[in-house]
Amino acid sequence: MSAFIDWLNGVVWSSALVYLCLGAGVYFTIRSRAVQIRQIPAIFKQMFTGKSSNEGVSSFQALAISLAGRVGVGNIAGVATAIGFGGPGAVVWMWISALLGASTSYVESTLGQIFKEQDPRTGEYRGGPAFYIEKAYRHTKARGLFKVYGMVFAAVTVIAMSFMLPGIQSNAISGAVENAWSVPTWGTAIALVIILGFIVVGGIKRIAHFASLAVPFMAVIYIIAAIAVTIINADQIVPVFQLMFNSAFGIDAGPEAAFGGIIGMAVQWGVQRGIYSNEAGQGTGPHAASAAEVSHPSKQGLVQAGSVYIDTLFVCSATAFMILSTGMYRVFDADETTIIGTGRGQMVEEIAATPGEKWPQAGLDSMIHGFGASFIAISIFLFALTTIVAYYYMAETNLVYLLGKAKNTFVLAVGKRVLQLLILIAVAVGAMSASGSAWALGDIGVGLMAWLNIIGILILQQPAFKLLRDFERQTKLGLDPVFEPEKIGVRNADFWDQRVARLKAGEAVPEG
């Protein structure tokens, strides 16, 4: 089974997917005239404007839900793995994938907002790739094909988010906790199941409240720790940047010459771990974006573009500097055993042989003995816990999509309980499993979703760019942008058509 998982992972994450991710980012950047750069002031303004309602969460809460999914083990253990098998240059390719991926995130999240729905049972907003894939071309001859496509994406997402991905997060938590405090993995598994069981049964409102409190706190504390490392190792700032860029582009310069032969691995691991971390194009961001209460879909599209920056340029970079500036890393060749590059400093063989959360733990420990293991364990616990919560929300959204037409509410209620049980079992099993198999399974889930979603948004992209032009036109006029589908020729945006009709009828609607 392990050999089959590794083979399937290699098929899903072939060079074709790497090129697709980068190519889509380049194309959307050109098509949007670099919206992720031009609109940086608007991106950060929209993060903190808008209010929640009985139906939807605020822009900031939606950002927090999205960051809960993005900021996880990929920002710590994932960065270490990328460096271990792609060299320090993998970090640069993570930055490049984030910069380009921010435009992809804008497109997919704006589409999520355009084609969102209001759950008739709970009143909450729901949306995501399955919804926009089905609805965008609902009145065309190809509607049946797109409906099947949407159902396939929903099914893959339910499986990935409830079975394939949670194990990575819980595995990293148990490993970090065991390394820091010698707590057995089964003890961590039990604690995680109890905590998550309380959170996930509370629905989107409880998830949003939890994420809006936990995510900013953990991210700020983690970045502060990275700044402290930077100050202590100020003499390493320039050498670390030289190391990363020389490795990223295969520049044979001094001790970095050994990295010239693995430039392809730097690109692959940088893009792969970049997408795992920031999730741009994977299709996860639109789920959180769709839950937001806004007056114009582009508002939340911009917010989600900004979340990619926060995830990769801040949090991932913090981890990379902790590892590289302290020399607590090694680089391995394709057989995963031979060291072809070494960093500054001495490491015990156990740490050198296991790229993961132990590397930043060792980096911090090298400066303040006994601090690194505990700090990284706490960080991973918070990062991964919020990510698992976000996974459940996205799995439930797609389950509702698949079962939403069922008239018997009992079927949907049972389905949710089965999903909750499945994700709790996956968390418990993942916490007590070997890390290698957990990562391979998670990569397959991420890759399958990315294949389906990126192809989908390349086909469905037009409405997102119509809204971008509309948003910028209204902003230039000094207006608070409001979306009226008919005015700009967007079809099948049922929620927004109904919202406009209510406004014209003089009814009050939530403001965002």
Side-chain angles (χ1 to χ4, degrees):
M1 179 59 72
S2 177
F4 173 75
I5 290 175
D6 290 339
W7 171 82
L8 183 58
N9 187 25
V11 172
V12 172
W13 273 104
S14 65
S15 57
L17 181 53
V18 174
Y19 294 141
L20 178 65
C21 295
L22 290 176
V26 170
Y27 171 73
F28 289 137
T29 297
I30 295 171
R31 179 88 196 271
S32 67
R33 295 175 293 119
V35 61
Q36 72 271 41
I37 298 174
R38 291 188 301 106
Q39 293 289 354
I40 283 180
I43 285 173
F44 288 96
K45 176 184 177 182
Q46 294 301 328
M47 284 182 184
F48 303 102
T49 57
K51 299 178 180 178
S52 62
S53 67
N54 292 330
E55 297 82 13
V57 300
S58 68
S59 289
F60 179 75
Q61 287 177 320
L63 170 68
I65 296 171
S66 177
L67 283 173
R70 298 180 197 275
V71 179
V73 171
N75 298 81
I76 300 178
V79 173
T81 305
I83 292 172
F85 296 116
V91 178
V92 175
W93 285 101
M94 290 182 76
W95 293 341
I96 293 171
S97 71
L99 180 62
L100 297 174
S103 64
T104 305
S105 186
Y106 167 80
V107 173
E108 63 180 355
S109 297
T110 300
L111 289 172
Q113 264 286 334
I114 295 171
F115 299 108
K116 70 182 180 181
E117 297 178 357
Q118 189 168 4
D119 191 321
R121 300 175 181 86
T122 65
E124 295 173 346
Y125 300 146
R126 292 189 184 275
F131 293 81
Y132 56 67
I133 289 170
E134 177 190 345
K135 296 178 69 175
Y137 289 105
R138 190 176 57 202
H139 293 115
T140 68
K141 292 181 180 180
R143 61 184 178 275
L145 177 62
F146 282 103
K147 183 173 183 178
V148 172
Y149 197 164
M151 293 180 71
V152 170
F153 180 89
V156 168
T157 301
V158 170
I159 295 170
M161 294 295 165
S162 63
F163 174 67
M164 292 180 167
L165 288 163
I168 294 177
Q169 308 294 328
S170 61
N171 183 271
I173 292 175
S174 64
V177 169
E178 183 178 36
N179 186 52
W181 306 306
S182 301
V183 177
T185 55
W186 61 264
T188 303
I190 293 173
L192 283 173
V193 168
I194 293 172
I195 295 171
L196 287 167
F198 170 75
I199 296 171
V200 299
V201 297
I204 182 60
K205 290 293 184 179
R206 184 178 294 173
I207 290 171
H209 180 69
F210 170 74
S212 65
L213 293 177
V215 172
F217 170 77
M218 69 184 187
V220 169
I221 295 299
Y222 193 73
I223 291 170
I224 289 174
I227 292 173
V229 174
T230 303
I231 293 173
I232 295 173
N233 288 326
D235 63 319
Q236 289 299 308
I237 294 176
V238 173
V240 164
F241 273 95
Q242 289 176 336
L243 177 68
M244 289 190 294
F245 280 94
N246 288 345
S247 173
F249 302 107
I251 300 172
D252 294 341
E256 292 84 44
F259 299 126
I262 60 168
I263 182 172
M265 297 302 293
V267 177
Q268 179 175 337
W269 279 96
V271 174
Q272 184 174 343
R273 285 291 171 258
I275 291 175
Y276 185 89
S277 173
N278 62 55
E279 300 184 357
Q282 184 186 339
T284 52
H287 295 93
S290 301
E293 184 71 77
V294 292
S295 63
H296 196 287
S298 283
K299 290 183 176 180
Q300 199 60 32
L302 291 172
V303 169
Q304 297 304 320
S307 71
V308 175
Y309 290 153
I310 294 173
D311 171 271
T312 304
L313 299 186
F314 293 143
V315 184
C316 286
S317 297
T319 301
F321 197 81
M322 284 184 192
I323 294 171
L324 296 175
S325 67
T326 57
M328 297 301 176
Y329 74 98
R330 294 292 186 269
V331 180
F332 306 96
D333 66 7
D335 65 11
E336 300 185 9
T337 56
T338 305
I339 300 175
I340 63 171
T342 60
R344 180 174 62 89
Q346 298 296 319
M347 299 171 62
V348 298
E349 186 62 27
E350 178 187 1
I351 294 176
T354 54
E357 63 276 356
K358 290 182 179 180
W359 286 12
Q361 282 180 321
L364 283 175
D365 240 28
S366 69
M367 296 181 298
I368 307 175
H369 183 66
F371 174 73
S374 296
F375 178 80
I376 297 297
I378 294 171
S379 298
I380 285 181
F381 179 83
L382 290 174
F383 282 21
L385 183 65
T386 54
T387 298
I388 297 170
V389 170
Y391 286 167
Y392 171 75
Y393 167 67
M394 288 179 275
E396 183 190 281
T397 296
N398 285 275
L399 181 71
V400 170
Y401 171 83
L402 291 170
L403 301 179
K405 302 297 189 293
K407 295 181 179 179
N408 189 340
T409 57
F410 176 75
V411 173
L412 188 57
V414 171
K416 288 184 179 180
R417 290 292 178 255
V418 171
L419 181 65
Q420 290 168 357
L421 180 61
L422 181 60
I423 199 168
L424 292 177
I425 291 174
V427 165
V429 172
M432 297 182 286
S433 299
S435 60
S437 58
W439 273 103
L441 202 60
D443 283 340
I444 293 170
V446 171
L448 289 174
M449 289 178 65
W451 269 113
L452 291 168
N453 183 61
I454 293 177
I455 291 173
I457 62 177
L458 284 169
I459 297 171
L460 310 175
Q461 60 184 281
Q462 187 61 25
F465 293 109
K466 285 184 177 181
L467 265 78
L468 177 58
R469 291 191 293 270
D470 181 58
F471 175 86
E472 293 177 339
R473 178 187 62 80
Q474 293 190 52
T475 301
K476 286 180 180 179
L477 294 174
L479 303 174
D480 181 17
V482 175
F483 176 41
E484 297 184 47
E486 189 175 347
K487 283 188 176 181
I488 61 173
V490 174
R491 301 180 63 187
N492 304 322
D494 299 338
F495 168 83
W496 294 96
D497 287 331
Q498 294 167 9
R499 188 179 189 274
V500 170
R502 290 168 60 191
L503 280 170
K504 290 181 178 178
E507 296 182 29
V509 298
E511 298 180 0

